[in-house]
Amino acid sequence: MSDPSLSIVDGGTRRLPQGTWCDLFERQARRTPSRRCLVTGETSWTFRELDVWSDRLARVLRDAGAVPGSVVACGMTRSVRAVLGVLATAKTGAVQLPIDPVSPVARVDAILGDARPAVVLTDAASLASRADVVLSDEDWEAELARRDGHRLPRGAAGPAYIIYTSGSTGAPKGVMVGHRSLVNLYGELADRFFPASRGPQRVAHGLPLSFDASWNPLSWLAGGHELHLVPDSARMDPESYVDFVREHRLSVVEAVPAQMSALLAAGLLDGRSRPRLLLMGGEAIGQELWSQLREAPDVTAVNLYGPTECTVFTTACRLDERATPSIGRPIGNTAARVVDEDLRPVPIGEPGELLISGSCLALGYLGSPELTADRFVTAGERRYRTGDRCRLAVDGRLEWLGRLDDQVKIRGHRVEPGETEHALLGLPGVRQAVVRAEGAEPRLVAYVVLGTSSLAEVRERLRAVLPTYLLPAAVIPVEAMPLGPNGKIDRTALAPFVPAPSASVLTPEQALVAAAFRVQLGIPAVDADSDFFALGGHSLSAAALAARLRARGVPCSLRDVLLRRTVARLAELVPTLAKGASTWTTTT
C-alpha cells in the first residue's frame, strides 16, 4: 500500500472494450447505419456510407502494399478524404502516419525517410510526386466505387499511429501509439464525457489533422456522435469559426487555450445557440481564461493534459471543480506520481517531475530503443518521464509548474528550441546560433553570428526547412557569442530581446496601427516597417489585431493582416473617420 502522504494518484480501473478503435467504429456503424456521422463542407455521410467507402479505400491501400504492421503515410487536405484515410489505414491493419501536406519539403523528406512507409496516400498536389495512392478531386469517388467493399483481415492489434514531434537533436522523433491506448482514451470519453441521455452530439473538429489531439474528435465519431470538420477558411479565423459553430449548432468544441480565448472574444458563448462542452489542451491555461469559463453559465469546460507519449490526454480537470488552474487527476487505468531526481515520490505539495504509468502509455519511439529506454523507465512498472514540473495539491489534483528543460508549447505545438537551432546551424552563412524561448507568451528568439549570409537570406532559408511554429519570432545578429569558463556558449549571458524604440516619425494613421501592434504583441515599440509576424504574431493574434483595428473604425480583416504585414501597409486602410485618432488605450 502506498503512503498517502506521498504524491501518488490513481485514476482507477476501467474495463476496456475488446478490439481496436476501428472495431469500435464498425460496431457503431452496425448499430446505427443510417445515422449521420460526418459532415465536411457540402458532404454529409452516414455511418454505413463511411464504413463502406473506407473498406473500399482499404482495398486500394492493400493492393498498393499496406499490410498489417506496415506504415501508411497519410498526407491529406482537410476534407472527407482525411477521415477516410484514417479509417482505411486502420482497416488494413497498418499504422497511420499523418503528414501535413503544407510542411516544408525537407521536413516531409526527413519524416518519410525515418518512418519508411510502405504506402504514401495523399490528395494534395504538393505530395503527389511522392505518393503511391493519389485521391484527386476529379475521380476519387468513381475510382473507389469500382472497388470491392468487403472487409479485409487485419491481424493482431499493434501500433495504431505514429506522431512526429520536435526533437532536441534537430531531427523529429516518431512516437508509436498502440490500439489499446486509443481504446483506453475512448473508454474515458465514453464514461466521463459522452452525454448519458441527450443523444448524439454535434462535435467540432477544428484541430490540425497532423496533431495527436485530432484523435479526440475521432473518438467521439466512434462513439456514435456527429463529427463536423471545420474548414481551413474558418479554423484560424475566430469570427468565422464562431459562425460555423452557430450555423451547424455544434455542442462540443475543442481548442488550445489561446484559440479558445479568441473564440470567446468572438462571441462563442453569446446567444442561445452555443456549445455546451468546451475541451482545452495543448498548453497551459492562464487564470484569466480559467475564471472566465468557470463563470460561464450552462457550459462545462474541461482542461486536458497529456504528452504525445501518453495518448492525447492522461489527466483532466473540470474548471468548475477548482478556482485556480489545474491539470486534474489521471484518467482510468492510469496513475501519476511526482518524483525527485532519483524517481522517488515526493511529499504532497512538493514540486517534482511528473511520471505517468498505465494503459495510456505509447509503445515507444520508432527506431530509437535508447531514447525509449531513457524516457520510458521501468521501476516495478513501466512509466513515462514527462519532463514536466508538477506538484500534487492537497485536494488530490495536479498542478503544472512548467518544464524541467527548455521545451515549450507555442500555439499548442510542442517545440524544442534545439530543433530550430539545429536548422539554423545547418544553413550556409551561419557560424553560430542559439535559440531560446522568451516572454510570458513564449516565442522563439534566435541569436546568430553571421558569415556570408544576410539576415533576410537566413530568414528565407529557414522558412524552407521549418514549419511555421518552429520559426523564430526574431533573428538577432551578434558579433560573437558570450562564452563561459568552460569555453561553451553562455546562453544566460545573452540579453533578452527587446525591440528598439522607433527612430522614425509615424503619421497619425501609422501611429494608430502601431499602437495596436504594441498592445496585441505586448512590446514597447514598433516603427513603420515593423512586420507583425516577425515580431511574434501568428494567425490567432492576427485575427485579434484585425478585431482591435475594426473597433477603432478601420475596415481590417484577417486576410488584410496576412497580406499587409507591416504598420505602414495596414495604415493605408485607415479611413478618414479614424485618421484623427493617434492614441490608444493600453487596457484590454
Side-chain angles (χ1 to χ4, degrees):
M1 180 176 294
S2 61
D3 188 335
S5 68
L6 297 179
S7 297
I8 303 173
V9 58
D10 193 289
T13 301
R14 174 188 296 113
R15 184 176 180 180
L16 296 181
Q18 293 299 308
T20 66
W21 175 87
C22 186
D23 294 325
L24 296 174
F25 172 81
E26 290 172 348
R27 290 171 198 155
Q28 184 64 49
R30 288 194 295 269
R31 287 193 295 268
T32 57
S34 59
R35 180 187 294 175
R36 186 165 73 165
C37 73
L38 179 63
V39 180
T40 62
E42 300 301 318
T43 303
S44 176
W45 285 24
T46 65
F47 276 93
R48 174 173 173 74
E49 288 170 332
L50 186 57
D51 192 29
V52 170
W53 282 83
S54 56
D55 278 327
R56 290 170 175 163
L57 180 54
R59 286 279 175 180
V60 175
L61 296 178
R62 178 63 61 86
D63 291 345
V67 297
S70 64
V71 175
V72 173
C74 297
M76 310 300 284
T77 60
R78 202 168 184 83
S79 68
V80 67
R81 297 184 292 269
V83 180
L84 271 181
V86 173
L87 268 170
T89 299
K91 286 171 178 280
T92 66
V95 185
Q96 192 237 0
L97 168 65
I99 297 289
D100 186 349
V102 301
S103 284
V105 172
R107 185 173 179 84
V108 172
D109 286 345
I111 291 174
L112 294 180
D114 187 62
R116 299 180 181 179
V119 177
V120 176
L121 166 69
T122 192
D123 63 351
S126 60
L127 294 176
S129 62
R130 297 174 175 80
D132 304 285
V133 178
V134 179
L135 301 182
S136 63
D137 284 336
E138 293 79 16
D139 57 7
W140 71 274
E141 290 183 90
E143 171 63 25
L144 291 188
R146 293 192 290 266
R147 292 292 180 146
D148 181 0
H150 290 89
R151 195 146 290 158
L152 290 168
R154 294 200 281 266
Y161 64 86
I162 302 170
I163 291 285
Y164 274 79
T165 66
S166 177
S168 59
T169 62
K173 54 184 181 288
V175 181
M176 296 184 296
V177 175
H179 279 286
R180 295 308 288 166
S181 298
L182 266 185
V183 172
N184 191 65
L185 174 72
Y186 170 88
E188 181 71 15
L189 289 168
D191 283 1
R192 301 190 188 181
F193 293 84
F194 293 172
S197 59
R198 292 201 306 271
Q201 301 297 293
R202 294 186 177 95
V203 181
H205 191 333
L207 301 167
L209 297 173
S210 57
F211 212 11
D212 64 326
S214 68
W215 282 97
N216 261 2
L218 290 175
S219 295
W220 283 78
L221 178 70
H225 300 278
E226 185 179 301
L227 188 65
H228 290 250
L229 201 63
V230 183
D232 280 323
S233 59
R235 196 169 61 85
M236 299 309 296
D237 181 353
E239 292 180 353
S240 298
Y241 198 137
V242 169
D243 289 341
F244 184 88
V245 170
R246 289 175 179 161
E247 177 187 352
H248 295 274
R249 293 180 292 118
L250 305 184
S251 52
V252 181
V253 173
E254 181 172 357
V256 297
Q259 185 179 31
M260 187 64 74
S261 182
L263 292 176
L264 294 177
L268 180 66
L269 299 182
D270 297 345
R272 296 180 60 185
S273 179
R274 57 178 181 167
R276 299 301 177 187
L277 177 62
L278 302 180
L279 304 175
M280 291 166 291
E283 61 188 11
I285 299 180
Q287 182 65 57
E288 181 178 349
L289 178 59
W290 188 278
S291 298
Q292 183 181 4
L293 287 173
R294 272 176 53 84
E295 296 166 2
D298 303 321
V299 173
T300 300
V302 186
N303 184 29
L304 308 174
Y305 161 85
T308 301
E309 290 86 348
C310 296
T311 315
V312 184
F313 75 90
T314 191
T315 69
C317 184
R318 283 178 49 143
L319 273 61
D320 59 7
E321 295 176 341
R322 211 169 191 267
T324 56
S326 168
I327 61 173
R329 296 187 175 99
I331 66 173
N333 300 321
T334 299
R337 59 184 63 207
V338 183
V339 301
D340 61 19
E341 293 180 353
D342 296 317
L343 305 186
R344 297 173 302 192
V346 300
I348 289 175
E350 292 293 322
E353 182 180 6
L354 181 64
L355 265 62
I356 302 293
S357 59
S359 299
C360 68
L361 294 190
L363 302 175
Y365 299 103
L366 180 66
S368 300
E370 298 86 0
L371 182 60
T372 299
D374 178 63
R375 303 307 302 176
F376 293 87
V377 297
T378 302
E381 63 178 337
R382 189 166 177 261
R383 297 171 186 146
Y384 174 66
R385 300 188 62 172
T386 66
D388 284 327
R389 190 168 179 263
C390 294
R391 66 173 165 232
L392 183 64
V394 293
D395 66 358
R397 293 179 179 86
L398 293 158
E399 298 174 346
W400 187 83
L401 304 175
R403 290 290 300 172
L404 291 170
D405 53 24
D406 62 350
Q407 188 182 92
V408 293
K409 284 287 184 73
I410 296 180
R411 303 191 296 280
H413 295 278
R414 193 172 71 179
V415 169
E416 292 273 6
E419 184 169 1
T420 303
E421 186 171 305
H422 182 85
L424 272 169
L425 291 171
L427 297 180
V430 176
R431 292 176 179 170
Q432 290 180 303
V434 168
V435 178
R436 65 187 187 189
E438 297 182 0
E441 182 178 348
R443 57 184 178 179
L444 295 183
V445 177
Y447 300 85
V448 295
V449 177
L450 296 176
T452 57
S453 292
S454 67
L455 273 180
E457 289 171 333
V458 169
R459 291 193 185 100
E460 187 63 28
R461 289 166 182 163
L462 209 54
R463 290 191 191 100
V465 297
L466 291 178
T468 304
Y469 65 89
L470 282 175
L471 293 174
V475 180
I476 313 301
V478 295
E479 289 295 323
M481 293 291 180
L483 302 179
N486 59 2
K488 296 182 179 180
I489 295 175
D490 183 1
R491 295 167 180 264
T492 61
L494 289 165
F497 168 62
V498 177
S502 174
S504 61
V505 177
L506 301 178
T507 67
E509 296 85 357
Q510 292 170 351
L512 187 152
V513 175
F517 271 46
R518 293 196 302 272
V519 174
Q520 187 61 48
L521 296 172
I523 57 178
V526 295
D527 58 30
D529 295 325
S530 293
D531 185 306
F532 184 78
F533 296 93
L535 292 174
H538 48 78
S539 54
L540 288 176
S541 57
L545 176 70
R548 287 182 185 277
L549 291 173
R550 287 197 299 274
R552 298 304 298 264
V554 182
C556 180
S557 67
L558 173 61
R559 178 177 175 81
D560 289 325
V561 179
L562 295 175
L563 295 177
R564 299 170 174 265
R565 303 162 64 103
T566 66
V567 168
R569 291 294 312 283
L570 281 170
E572 295 170 2
L573 300 175
V574 179
T576 302
L577 61 89
K579 287 188 175 181
S582 59
T583 60
W584 191 274
T585 303
T586 56
T587 57
T588 55

